[in-house]
Amino acid sequence: MLDLSTVRPASAAAFERAKAVIPGGVNSPARAFGGVGGSPLFISRADGPFLYDLDGNRYLDFIGSWGPMILGHCHPKVVDATIAALKNGSSYGAPCELETQLAELVIEAIPSVEMVRFVSSGTEATMSAIRLARGFTGRDRIVKFAGCYHGHVDSLLVSAGSSALTLGVPNSPGVPAGCTQDTSVLRYNDVAALAELFAAQGDRIAGVILEPVVGNMGLVPPTAEFRAELRRLTRQHGALLIYDEVMTGFRLGYGGAQALLGDAPDLTCFGKIIGGGYPVGAYGGRADVMRKVMPAGPVFQAGTLSGNPVAMAAGIATLTELKTNPPYARLEAQSARIGVGLLEAAKHARVPVQFNRVGSMWTLFFTDTPVTDLDTAKTSDVKRFGRFFWEMMDRGVYLPCSQFEAAFTCGAMTDEHIEQTIAAAGESLKALK
Ligand SMILES: *Cc1c(COP(=O)(O)O)cnc(C)c1O
């Protein structure tokens, strides 16, 4: 690893200044580069597929703000729509038609969603969805899967993925035991354990929440049998099936993971892309369940800035662009090409890896064990990943700063950018020797 203070002095100075006033110098731990050793780059601006740091370096951005920027940064249609909305006032605390428009777009895109409520983050969406599942069923127990991340909700912060995993705090201090006593954690893709739990306590389970394709332990796809059993068992026992599509929604196709897989959950959580780069989350699903949300029903949930007009305008512009000029076929082809290229490069360099991918989400795991759940993800050599990360950074490619995160290809990348990335990976993998 290079010494940031000599190589990127402006970022190093900005980080020192931030650390004095913001815990760890960052407002979300995934940004702190704790998983790769070193300190974060401070970004001065972004454009198309590129990020620019304070020292004037340019990087091909495979994070895209951790998912939202599927069209690339500063897409002209999103910028124009946002500025137009801003000139009409930035918040009303009263309903406006932009909220209905975005709701109609979401419902049209996702057949299992009949009604939708907007909130301001993915965390709020999952928190509200499990409250609704409990309120609707009159039951307390929630089932989640090790390595899935559903935001920093108290009751879901057990065996969580993303930075909770990278930074080694699966159970955070400050989460009382009482908050997680009604949460069961199972292994992802483990059909037998799921069947066993439902046989023992099926009548106490309010809902099962999962990432239908996991991004937060690195990319891990579900098996067909796992998905089929989830749907069958939840239906049989009257529990709600909740797909957390905060990352996969409008990413794995316009209809998200559920359209790609052909699934119909009872509730779905959204975030990231749905706000076009602004703080928006949403939860939606069956109308009979959603009508329990206040003021239509008794389950309380509220938000001063929920349905914010500027954020709604950015979301509408993003979804409209994704619908009218779908980038998905090109993202699929480019991401598949990355897979072929990286596997070839790793073979040349004699570095054992696994490449997991669904659509434009992918992870290169530094292990010779196929990765299907958290335990197998953890067989990865994270030190080697950290060295690879910095080698790529020095070649102008900005990857997620943890082995346990998915990278995202974005619509602003050209085939030339993809080839540059593969060439950089070839050199970087060789440099690991
Ligand atoms: C990012 C993410 C969240 C949390 O969303 P925030 O907007 O960060 O609160 C929840 N679930 C999944 C699957 C995510 O990827």
Side-chain angles (χ1 to χ4, degrees):
M1 192 196 70
L2 291 160
D3 181 359
L4 188 71
S5 58
T6 54
V7 180
R8 299 178 181 93
S11 273
F15 188 46
E16 286 311 310
R17 185 174 158 206
K19 274 195 292 188
V21 288
I22 299 170
V26 291
N27 282 309
S28 192
R31 300 174 196 169
F33 284 21
V36 290
S39 40
L41 307 191
F42 273 59
I43 304 304
S44 55
R45 67 189 182 89
D47 189 25
F50 296 116
L51 285 178
Y52 297 82
D53 72 12
L54 280 187
D55 292 282
N57 301 303
R58 190 181 83 168
Y59 305 89
L60 255 182
D61 179 13
F62 282 94
I63 299 187
S65 186
W66 301 94
M69 312 314 296
I70 189 169
L71 297 173
H73 299 279
C74 301
H75 189 283
K77 287 186 183 158
V78 180
V79 170
D80 289 350
T82 310
I83 291 173
L86 186 56
K87 287 182 173 165
N88 288 328
S90 48
S91 188
Y92 313 135
C96 67
E97 287 186 308
L98 294 169
E99 297 164 76
T100 316
Q101 275 177 40
L102 187 56
E104 286 168 352
L105 278 169
V106 172
I107 288 164
E108 183 196 59
I110 322 250
S112 76
V113 176
E114 297 172 325
M115 297 184 93
V116 62
R117 168 61 67 82
F118 292 109
V119 291
S120 299
S121 70
T123 295
E124 266 188 273
T126 59
M127 182 179 78
S128 308
I130 63 169
R131 179 182 301 156
L132 176 58
R134 285 168 161 160
F136 179 79
T137 60
R139 304 169 178 180
D140 290 337
R141 184 148 298 273
I142 294 289
V143 181
K144 78 171 290 275
F145 298 92
C148 286
Y149 177 68
H150 304 294
H152 64 92
V153 181
D154 277 345
S155 61
L156 297 176
L157 209 55
V158 275
S159 300
S162 189
S163 48
L165 173 61
T166 307
L167 307 176
V169 284
N171 301 288
S172 170
V175 178
C179 282
T180 54
Q181 71 189 12
D182 292 314
T183 308
S184 297
V185 184
L186 299 179
R187 186 202 297 259
Y188 198 79
N189 278 328
D190 188 341
V191 174
L194 185 69
E196 208 173 292
L197 183 70
F198 267 95
Q201 331 184 359
D203 60 346
R204 291 173 47 205
I205 296 171
V208 180
I209 186 166
L210 72 152
E211 294 181 66
V213 171
V214 190
N216 285 299
M217 53 179 139
L219 194 284
V220 174
T223 65
E225 193 194 0
F226 181 57
R227 286 170 26 240
E229 280 299 279
L230 278 164
R231 185 63 281 187
R232 191 182 70 77
L233 288 166
T234 47
R235 201 165 268 154
Q236 181 187 332
H237 292 271
L240 298 187
L241 180 60
I242 308 167
Y243 272 18
D244 179 352
E245 295 226 42
V246 170
M247 191 180 276
T248 54
F250 303 96
R251 160 67 59 184
L252 297 183
Y254 192 60
Q258 56 192 272
L260 186 74
L261 299 167
D263 293 352
D266 300 302
L267 291 177
T268 302
C269 303
F270 300 96
K272 299 191 169 124
I273 289 175
I274 204 176
Y278 287 78
V280 180
Y283 63 105
R286 277 167 44 189
D288 61 325
V289 181
M290 291 304 293
R291 285 210 180 90
K292 298 287 180 211
V293 177
M294 193 168 277
V299 178
F300 189 79
Q301 185 269 307
T304 300
L305 291 171
S306 294
N308 174 269
V310 181
M312 294 291 107
I316 292 166
T318 299
L319 297 202
T320 303
E321 180 63 13
L322 290 173
K323 185 174 132 183
T324 49
N325 283 314
Y328 301 107
R330 199 159 57 85
L331 289 174
E332 166 69 26
Q334 289 181 331
S335 307
R337 170 69 191 122
I338 288 178
V340 170
L342 294 195
L343 285 174
E344 233 165 59
K347 201 166 151 201
H348 269 280
R350 294 169 199 265
V351 177
V353 296
Q354 303 292 319
F355 185 80
N356 282 9
R357 180 183 73 84
V358 176
S360 59
M361 289 168 58
W362 50 270
T363 301
L364 185 70
F365 289 101
F366 286 81
T367 175
D368 52 15
T369 308
V371 176
T372 58
D373 57 23
L374 182 58
D375 291 332
T376 45
K378 280 183 169 171
T379 63
S380 302
D381 184 339
V382 293
K383 287 227 169 68
R384 187 174 269 179
F385 171 82
R387 287 167 56 210
F388 175 70
F389 169 86
W390 284 110
E391 292 290 344
M392 290 295 275
M393 195 69 108
D394 289 337
R395 290 171 178 81
V397 181
Y398 192 107
L399 294 176
C401 52
S402 163
Q403 175 72 93
F404 307 111
E405 300 280 4
F408 303 101
T409 314
C410 86
M413 288 174 184
T414 63
D415 290 348
E416 200 186 341
H417 294 142
I418 301 300
E419 294 310 321
Q420 286 167 5
T421 302
I422 293 167
E427 291 175 18
S428 298
L429 287 162
K430 270 193 208 125
L432 298 184
K433 285 285 147 184

